[in-house]
Amino acid sequence: MDYNKIRALLELYWEGETSLEEEEMLRHFFVTHTAALPEDLREAAPLFRYFQAEKEQELPAWEIPRVAPLPGSRPWQHWMKYAAALLMMAGAGYSVQQYIVRHNELSAAAWQQDTYQDPEKAYQEAQKALELLSRNLNKGTEQMEKLAYFNEATDKIKRN
Amino acid sequence: MSLELFHSQVVPIRPKLYRFAFRLLNNEEDAKDIIQDALLKVWHQQDRMAELQNLEAWCMRIVRNLALDRLKSKKYRSTEMLDRAGEMEAAHQPDPHLAAEQQDVMGRVHRIINALPEKYRTIIQLRDVDGFSYQQIADILELNMSEVKINLHRARKAVREQLQNIQVYGLQ
């Protein structure tokens, strides 16, 4: 290639005014040119050879990991959520059931606690309870008798 | 963005994103981490997909921002960067002396470019190595076209001055 053309392109290159094609031409020239270069072109040669070496340089091998399918695309992928919810519901149900069974057992035990094994003592306790009931009932009857007198008096007044 | 769209448009550019991250960080493990984080971020910002004109530039921008955050947070000091300078492979050269000399020159150029400010370095990387257009670079770096050209011009000028020093004085 004509050195003058390279000089002109280089000036544009240093100014940042070259196109990608022109830069490719310069790189190709400096990489492939084996004969001695004119002095004014020598400064650019290592740079373009460096760019070429960088382009060709193999980077460390890296097995790029496959991008895992991201959640949200298929409903069945949420199975763990559903399983957890189901487990929680089963747990809650079991707890409630256990509570009811235990509660019933405790109620039955409490009911059985006041029974008496000795019939004599049971009789005495029952008698005491009935006496208490009787006393209270009599109190009520006395009040009712007073009321009866009052009604009788009212009837007499009405007749007269 | 559907999963299919993600697979068809984002997944295929992962190698390019990885190369970009690797060159910014000069560290293989960190580059891998950054790509994973970037893909996650892209997925979480899927609502913005509709507004985007250039998906690739958007992904590159996310990678760059994450890489820069990492560089800042770790007060990054890459030793690999210096190591790699010595590993730059010169063109196949039958003469061992000439090969060693070429390798030395490659190492010097590598150091010159890596010594540039991050913005200049990235612009040179995107343009001269990866071959992105000015518009794509503008999208990636969130600059306008004229800013890209100005920065590219300054970056190349800085590199040229250093190359001239090598040429004339054998410095570096």
Side-chain angles (χ1 to χ4, degrees):
Chain A
M1 192 186 282
D2 180 10
Y3 288 146
N4 285 331
K5 190 175 178 187
I6 294 298
R7 283 188 187 100
L9 279 179
L10 259 182
E11 281 313 309
L12 287 173
Y13 173 80
W14 295 125
E15 292 299 316
E17 296 294 339
T18 35
S19 66
L20 282 170
E21 291 73 26
E22 288 167 335
E23 287 164 20
E24 183 52 43
M25 281 167 65
L26 284 172
R27 181 162 47 240
H28 184 260
F29 169 78
F30 283 109
V31 169
T32 56
H33 192 85
T34 49
L37 287 165
E39 200 169 334
D40 61 328
L41 294 182
R42 279 184 211 156
E43 67 182 23
L47 186 64
F48 286 99
R49 287 174 190 154
Y50 171 80
F51 291 150
Q52 183 66 24
E54 275 283 287
K55 264 183 185 289
E56 289 171 357
Q57 190 183 20
E58 284 186 17
L59 292 173
W62 174 35
E63 183 65 31
I64 297 173
R66 220 176 112 13
V67 174
L70 294 161
S73 55
R74 295 181 187 87
W76 57 263
Q77 285 176 332
H78 297 297
W79 68 272
M80 283 184 82
K81 248 194 285 184
Y82 299 132
L86 211 65
L87 267 173
M88 280 177 68
M89 282 165 67
Y94 181 74
S95 303
V96 168
Q97 192 195 15
Q98 285 301 303
Y99 173 77
I100 292 168
V101 168
R102 182 91 183 123
H103 182 74
N104 288 345
E105 280 174 0
L106 284 172
S107 303
W111 180 74
Q112 284 174 354
Q113 213 171 21
D114 284 335
T115 55
Y116 294 90
Q117 298 297 323
D118 183 2
E120 188 60 34
K121 198 175 177 194
Y123 170 73
Q124 284 170 4
E125 288 297 323
Q127 202 172 24
K128 269 188 216 169
L130 288 169
E131 276 172 11
L132 182 68
L133 180 69
S134 163
R135 269 202 302 279
N136 286 327
L137 206 59
N138 286 338
K139 275 183 200 169
T141 314
E142 282 168 19
Q143 299 302 322
M144 291 302 287
E145 278 173 3
K146 285 176 190 171
L147 202 61
Y149 291 143
F150 179 73
N151 283 340
E152 222 171 279
T154 313
D155 286 344
K156 277 181 186 175
I157 291 165
K158 278 183 184 169
R159 277 198 297 270
N160 294 332
Chain B
M1 177 172 49
S2 69
L3 186 61
E4 288 74 25
L5 200 61
F6 186 80
H7 272 292
S8 65
Q9 295 203 14
V10 180
V11 172
I13 61 168
R14 279 187 306 177
K16 197 179 257 189
L17 297 176
Y18 172 64
R19 293 174 83 88
F20 185 47
F22 181 78
R23 285 184 172 129
L24 281 169
L25 296 165
N26 275 293
N27 181 299
E28 192 182 333
E29 289 305 313
D30 283 346
K32 286 178 190 173
D33 284 353
I34 288 293
I35 297 309
Q36 297 295 354
D37 292 351
L39 291 179
L40 206 61
K41 204 162 181 176
V42 168
W43 177 255
H44 284 154
Q45 292 186 27
Q46 54 187 285
D47 299 341
R48 292 189 56 199
M49 285 288 293
E51 314 158 13
L52 294 171
Q53 297 294 319
N54 190 338
L55 177 67
E56 187 178 324
W58 183 57
C59 293
M60 296 281 273
R61 194 158 67 228
I62 289 175
V63 167
R64 178 174 179 256
N65 290 339
L66 287 171
L68 294 183
D69 286 348
R70 173 138 329 188
L71 287 171
K72 278 181 208 159
S73 69
K74 289 180 79 174
K75 295 203 182 308
Y76 217 81
R77 188 180 175 280
S78 173
T79 50
E80 286 187 32
M81 194 182 285
L82 296 173
D83 295 343
R84 273 187 65 218
E87 291 170 10
M88 290 298 299
E89 200 173 320
H92 293 293
Q93 183 57 255
D95 183 345
H97 284 293
L98 215 55
E101 197 181 319
Q102 275 194 10
Q103 193 159 333
D104 181 47
V105 172
M106 291 286 112
R108 286 180 183 190
V109 177
H110 186 77
R111 279 193 291 275
I112 289 172
I113 289 175
N114 275 302
L116 292 173
E118 187 277 327
K119 193 195 276 181
Y120 290 177
R121 193 171 72 239
T122 304
I123 285 184
I124 286 201
Q125 170 71 43
L126 292 172
R127 179 70 185 187
D128 290 323
V129 179
D130 295 329
F132 282 104
S133 69
Y134 294 126
Q135 185 57 58
Q136 284 173 313
I137 297 170
D139 289 343
I140 293 167
L141 302 181
E142 293 180 283
L143 300 172
N144 59 45
M145 286 263 279
S146 59
E147 285 175 317
V148 170
K149 287 187 175 182
I150 289 168
N151 281 296
L152 185 63
H153 164 63
R154 288 177 183 162
R156 284 174 176 170
K157 193 179 164 196
V159 171
R160 187 184 190 184
E161 282 168 6
Q162 297 295 318
L163 288 171
Q164 283 170 340
N165 283 341
I166 296 178
Q167 193 70 26
V168 178
Y169 305 110
L171 294 178
Q172 288 284 320

